[in-house]
Amino acid sequence: MTATENPPTYTWVGTRPIRHDGYDKVTGKARFAADLDLPGQLRAVYVRSPHAHARIVSINTAAAEAMPGVKAVVTGADFPDLGAADPEYDVSVNVMARDTVYYHGHAVAAVAATSRELAADAAAAIVVEYEELPAVFTIDDAMADGAPLVNETNFTKFVKADEPSNLSTITNLERGEVDDAFAAADLVVEREFTTAAVHQGYIEPHACVVDTGADGRASVWCSSQGHFRVRSSTAAVLGWDVSRVKVTPAEIGGGFGGKTTIYIEPVAARLSEMAGRPVKIVMTRDEVFRATGPAPASKVRVKVGATNDGELTALEAWMAYNVGAFGNVAGLVGAMSVASYKFPNLKLEAYSVLSNLPKSAAYRSPSAPHAAFAIESVVDEIAQKLDIDPIELRLKNAAVEGDVTAMGMPHPRIGFVECLEAVRESEHYQSPVPDGAARGIAAGFWFNIGEQSSATVHVNEDGTATVITGSPDIGGSRASMALMAAEELGLDVNSITPLVADTESVGFTDTTEGSRTTFATGMAVVQACRDLIDDMRSRAATTLSVDVGEVIWADGAAVAEGHDPVPLASIAAQSKRTGGPLTASASLNAAGAGPSFAVHCGDLAVDEETGHTKVLRYTAAQDAGTAIHPSYVEGQLQGGSVQGIGWALNEEYVLNDDGSLDNASFLDYRIPVASDLPMIETIIVEVPNPSHPYGVRGVGETGIVPPMATIANAISRAAGIRMTALPMSPPHVLTALNER
C-alpha cells in the first residue's frame, strides 16, 4: 500500500520492473567473492587468540613454515605500526594483533598454503605464548572506578583527555529547563533498559581473493559495501599508496552495515605479496560471529515528564553503548537519533564504552534502535497511564518541519505525522485486536546521509545506455539507477544497463551505508544524464540549424518548434559525425539527505505457560520521499522489520565468563525464519525530499528502529509486564510473568 499526497506523474520512476541483475541472482550465475578462483591460488587460514585480553610474549612460526604446501606466514610483525594517532590505527590492529590481543578471536597470525586443509594444519602448528591480562566485558565493569584498561591506546574523544580510558566518546546535550519541567509535570516515568549485542546475520561470510603482482600492485576481489573504502583502508594497513590497490566489487550476499569495514583484505594482500601467488580467504561462520563487528550491547536510562493531556514536556536520558575493544562513535550517533518528538526540555548523556569484545560495527540505523527501544517504551507507558491512544499521543508531540533534534538541528520537511496518520487510518489499526492478543505501536527515526558519489552514463551507438556507478548494490540500487536514468533520458528502462565498476573505472564513491545510495548516487546519475541531454540538445541544434535554446528534451528526443523530433537513437547513430561518443560523468558531495521516519503496528499473543511470543500481524509504514522502485522499498521495510523482530525476541550474543562466544553459529544464534512471522504489511508514505530531483529519502535504515519497542509495547498490553531487556525471549518473558 502507498500513501501519497498529490504525487507527480512519472513514466518510469515508481514502476516495478524486474531488477536487471535478477536473472543472475536466481539462476546462481551471479559471482560472489568466494566464487572466484585464480590459477595458482592459495588458501589462507587464521590463528586466533584464545584469550580476551593478553600480551603476546612470543610467536613461533618455524614449524608451520616448514610444512608441506605452505607458501607464506604472516604475523603482526609483517605490518607497519601506523601509530595510535593514525585514523586507520584501530582498523590495522584489529586486522592483525601486534603486541596485545584485545578479544577472544583476535587474529594473531595467518598461513597461506596450496589447500585450506594444509593451511589449517600449519596454523595449528604455530605456537603462541601469551601473558593473560585483566579483561572487562560489560558497560558497568568498564565504567567502574579503577577498572582495568581495555585498550591502552584509547583516549576519549570530544573532551580533553590526558590519560587513556575505557570511554571512546562522551556526548552531552541539553536544552530548556529540565529540572523545572520535571517538577511541574503531572506524570513522570523513569526506566532502565538493556540490550544484548546482536550480529547483522548476513548469509555470505566475508571473503576475498587478492593477487599482488611483481610490480607491487594488488588486485582485490571482495564482498564489501564499499570497495573504495576497502582500497583506502587496505593501502593504509599495508603502508602503501592507494594507487597500488585496485578493488573489484563482487556481488554481496548481505551486509546491513557489517561490511562497511575491512578484516581480511590486507592479510590476503601481504600473503600474496610474500608468496607471489593469489590468496583466497573465506571466513567460517564461527569466525564471522567471533571476529567481526556486531551491533553493540547497550544500557539506557530514560526519564520522561508529561502533562495530564499528553504533552511530553521533558526528556532526560543516559545512554551507554558497549563498542568492543576499539573506539567508535556509537554514543554520539545514539544521541543524534533522538529526534522524533518536540521535547522542549532535554538532557542527554551518551557514551561509547570499550570492552574486551570484538569491535562493534554498524547495523542498520546504528545506535538508533537502542535509543528508540527505551524512549518509545516510556512514551507508550505514558499513553497507557494517561489512557490516551498511542498514536494520538505521538501525533500531539510529533516533530514537524522546524522542530529541532536533540543535536539542535532543525528538521527540514519530514513525514513523521504522515506516517502516524497512515497507520492510524490503516485497515490493520482500524481492525479489532485478535482475541487473546494485544497491539503495539512504536516509531523510529534515521537522519540519513549524503556523502560523495560518482556516476558515468554512456549512450551506445544503438541508442541504448549504460549507467556506471561505484555503489555496491545491496538493496536493488541498480534498478533504481536505471529507473532514474530512464526517466531523464526518455528511454525504456530495459534499454539501460546499470553496472557497479571497480575503483579504477569510476570516480570515487563513498560506501553504501546510511541509506545514501539512491539519494546521493542517484543524484549523480541524474546530473550525468542531464549533462548528456545538454550535449545531445546541442548536437541536435547543430543538425537542425537552430539555436540550442530552442531545443528541449521530451520523451527521449530533441524537439524544436517547426521540426520533426530527433530521437535519441538518431543522435546516437550520428554521434561520430557530431562530436564523438555520447558520455557524461558527474561527481558530487550530496547535501540535503532527507530524514526518514517509520511507524510500526504489531499484534501478538503471549503464551503465559511458556513465555513464547507469537507475532500475529505486523504493519510497517515509512516515509520514502519518493519510492523509485516500490517493490524494493517494500522489501527494505519488510527486511528491517524482520531483523528488528529477531533482535526483539531471540537474538543475542551469549558470552561465557572468559569473554568467548557460546553461540557462534546459526544453529544457536537464532535469527527469524519465514515460519516465525506473518507477512509484513507495508505502507509507503511519500513526502518528497525537496533536496533531491525525485524527492528521494533513504529507506534502508529506519525499518529496524521501531520493532523492539513495538513488540515490548504489545507485550505490555497483552500480559501486563513491561519488558526492559532484550531479547524478550521465552525464558525472560516467563520470568517476568512469574514476577508480576
Side-chain angles (χ1 to χ4, degrees):
M1 174 182 176
T2 302
T4 311
E5 182 180 345
N6 301 321
T9 300
Y10 297 120
T11 301
W12 288 106
V13 166
T15 63
R16 302 172 184 257
I18 295 172
R19 62 190 296 166
H20 295 69
D21 55 326
Y23 176 83
D24 287 353
K25 294 287 177 63
V26 301
T27 61
K29 185 180 178 182
R31 295 295 181 89
F32 297 84
D35 293 328
L36 180 65
D37 292 301
L38 297 180
Q41 169 183 284
L42 305 175
R43 295 296 300 272
V45 171
Y46 278 91
V47 176
R48 296 187 178 276
S49 170
H51 305 293
H53 196 196
R55 186 169 293 108
I56 300 173
V57 177
S58 64
I59 304 178
N60 189 333
T61 63
E65 291 168 350
M67 292 178 71
V70 173
K71 303 299 179 181
V73 178
V74 296
T75 68
D78 296 296
F79 296 87
D81 182 358
L82 302 184
D86 191 285
E88 296 283 1
Y89 175 78
D90 284 355
V91 172
S92 174
V93 176
N94 193 42
V95 162
M96 185 65 69
R98 308 307 158 85
D99 299 326
T100 306
V101 292
Y102 292 109
Y103 57 90
H104 188 282
H106 196 169
V108 174
V111 178
T114 51
S115 73
R116 196 179 192 288
E117 292 74 20
L118 290 174
D121 289 343
I126 293 176
V127 178
V128 185
E129 183 182 352
Y130 299 95
E131 177 189 338
E132 284 196 68
L133 299 171
V136 294
F137 307 117
T138 69
I139 289 169
D140 288 343
D141 288 346
M143 297 184 76
D145 291 340
L149 278 178
V150 168
N151 185 333
E152 66 283 354
T153 68
N154 175 75
F155 287 77
T156 306
K157 298 178 178 64
F158 312 145
V159 297
K160 188 177 186 299
D162 298 321
E163 300 288 337
S165 82
N166 290 338
L167 300 181
S168 174
T169 64
I170 300 175
T171 303
N172 291 294
L173 304 171
E174 190 168 359
R175 66 168 178 256
E177 301 295 334
V178 175
D179 292 341
D180 291 346
F182 279 122
D186 297 315
L187 174 65
V188 175
V189 176
E190 183 173 9
R191 286 193 180 273
E192 181 175 284
F193 298 83
T194 60
T195 70
V198 296
H199 202 272
Q200 299 85 355
Y202 34 81
I203 300 302
E204 179 204 22
H206 295 262
C208 72
V209 178
V210 182
D211 187 7
T212 306
D215 60 356
R217 291 172 53 84
S219 294
V220 181
W221 294 264
C222 64
S223 172
S224 168
Q225 292 178 231
H227 46 301
F228 284 90
R229 183 176 295 177
V230 172
R231 180 182 69 172
S232 60
S233 292
T234 297
V237 171
L238 294 168
W240 293 357
D241 293 336
V242 166
S243 61
R244 289 180 62 180
V245 182
K246 173 186 175 181
V247 183
T248 301
E251 294 293 347
I252 178 170
F256 314 112
K259 291 180 180 173
T260 58
T261 187
I262 62 167
Y263 298 101
I264 57 179
E265 290 81 3
V267 175
R270 184 66 86 207
L271 287 167
S272 177
E273 180 185 38
M274 296 169 69
R277 292 166 64 170
V279 172
K280 182 175 186 175
I281 298 177
V282 180
M283 276 190 170
T284 64
R285 182 61 57 186
D286 183 270
E287 287 181 301
V288 170
F289 275 114
R290 295 184 192 278
T292 68
S298 72
K299 173 178 280 191
V300 179
R301 292 194 292 269
V302 167
K303 180 180 179 182
V304 176
T307 62
N308 283 331
D309 64 353
E311 180 186 352
L312 304 178
T313 57
L315 168 69
E316 185 172 351
W318 181 97
M319 303 187 292
Y321 293 81
N322 186 337
V323 300
F326 300 93
N328 66 28
V329 293
L332 168 64
V333 179
M336 291 171 66
S337 72
V338 179
S340 298
Y341 304 108
K342 299 178 187 295
F343 287 127
N345 305 284
L346 176 147
K347 181 179 181 181
L348 291 182
E349 296 177 60
Y351 301 88
S352 303
V353 184
L354 268 63
S355 67
N356 292 113
L357 296 170
K359 174 180 172 62
S360 69
Y363 182 16
R364 274 189 127 134
S365 297
S367 299
H370 314 70
F373 171 51
I375 294 171
E376 288 291 319
S377 293
V378 170
V379 167
D380 207 70
E381 186 171 350
I382 289 172
Q384 290 184 66
K385 289 182 180 295
L386 296 177
D387 194 25
I388 298 176
D389 179 273
I391 291 183
E392 297 305 325
L393 181 87
R394 288 170 170 83
L395 279 168
K396 184 179 183 69
N397 297 279
V400 297
E401 184 175 1
D403 287 335
V404 294
T405 69
M407 299 294 292
M409 302 296 292
H411 278 298
R413 179 71 175 95
I414 54 176
F416 185 24
V417 167
E418 288 82 354
C419 288
L420 287 163
E421 291 173 339
V423 172
R424 183 185 61 186
E425 303 306 318
S426 69
E427 188 277 329
H428 183 176
Y429 199 68
Q430 295 293 322
S431 68
V433 179
D435 289 342
R439 181 167 293 160
I441 293 290
F445 161 84
W446 182 249
F447 43 83
N448 293 329
I449 60 174
E451 296 191 326
Q452 302 170 96
S453 284
S454 299
T456 297
V457 180
H458 302 306
V459 171
N460 303 313
E461 60 270 26
D462 64 352
T464 60
T466 303
V467 174
I468 303 169
T469 72
S471 293
D473 182 355
I474 61 173
S477 58
R478 284 188 184 92
S480 295
M481 301 304 135
L483 284 165
M484 285 183 277
E487 195 70 46
E488 291 290 324
L489 297 173
L491 288 176
D492 187 298
V493 73
N494 297 302
S495 296
I496 295 175
T497 301
L499 303 175
V500 182
D502 63 67
T503 53
E504 294 183 356
S505 301
V506 70
F508 181 88
T509 300
D510 276 311
T511 301
T512 299
E513 62 182 353
S515 291
R516 62 169 298 275
T517 300
T518 302
F519 170 75
T521 304
M523 195 181 291
V525 168
V526 169
Q527 184 59 58
C529 286
R530 291 180 178 179
D531 291 347
L532 194 54
I533 287 168
D534 287 344
D535 185 15
M536 291 190 289
R537 287 176 49 245
S538 177
R539 296 186 192 210
T542 301
T543 301
L544 298 173
S545 299
V546 299
D547 187 82
V548 68
E550 300 177 48
V551 181
I552 64 170
W553 191 262
D555 298 324
V559 180
E561 187 174 353
H563 297 270
D564 292 334
V566 185
L568 182 149
S570 296
I571 298 172
Q574 299 296 318
S575 61
K576 185 174 183 179
R577 288 189 281 274
T578 60
L582 290 165
T583 187
S585 297
S587 295
L588 49 82
N589 192 357
S596 177
F597 286 85
V599 177
H600 289 194
C601 175
D603 296 351
L604 58 80
V606 177
D607 186 327
E608 298 208 3
E609 292 187 358
T610 65
H612 177 259
T613 299
K614 182 174 180 60
V615 181
L616 305 175
R617 188 174 182 183
Y618 201 92
T619 297
Q622 189 169 318
D623 177 16
T626 298
I628 301 298
H629 194 305
S631 293
Y632 300 133
V633 172
E634 291 164 354
Q636 292 283 5
L637 271 60
Q638 291 167 332
S641 298
V642 169
Q643 289 181 308
I645 292 169
W647 194 339
L649 293 178
N650 294 304
E651 296 182 39
E652 65 177 321
Y653 266 33
V654 179
L655 298 168
N656 292 308
D657 291 341
D658 64 355
S660 62
L661 185 62
D662 208 26
N663 59 332
S665 74
F666 280 140
L667 179 64
D668 297 311
Y669 183 90
R670 181 75 163 81
I671 63 172
V673 296
S675 58
D676 292 324
L677 297 168
M679 176 60 71
I680 306 297
E681 301 167 52
T682 60
I683 304 172
I684 301 174
V685 176
E686 295 184 296
V687 178
N689 173 15
S691 297
H692 188 275
Y694 288 104
V696 167
R697 300 177 193 272
V699 298
E701 311 291 314
T702 317
I704 202 172
V705 181
M708 290 74 90
T710 301
I711 300 298
N713 294 338
I715 289 175
S716 174
R717 286 172 165 79
I721 52 174
R722 174 55 65 180
M723 299 298 296
T724 59
L726 298 183
M728 295 173 282
S729 56
H732 295 159
V733 172
L734 190 59
T735 297
L737 288 168
N738 292 333
E739 292 176 349
R740 281 184 299 188

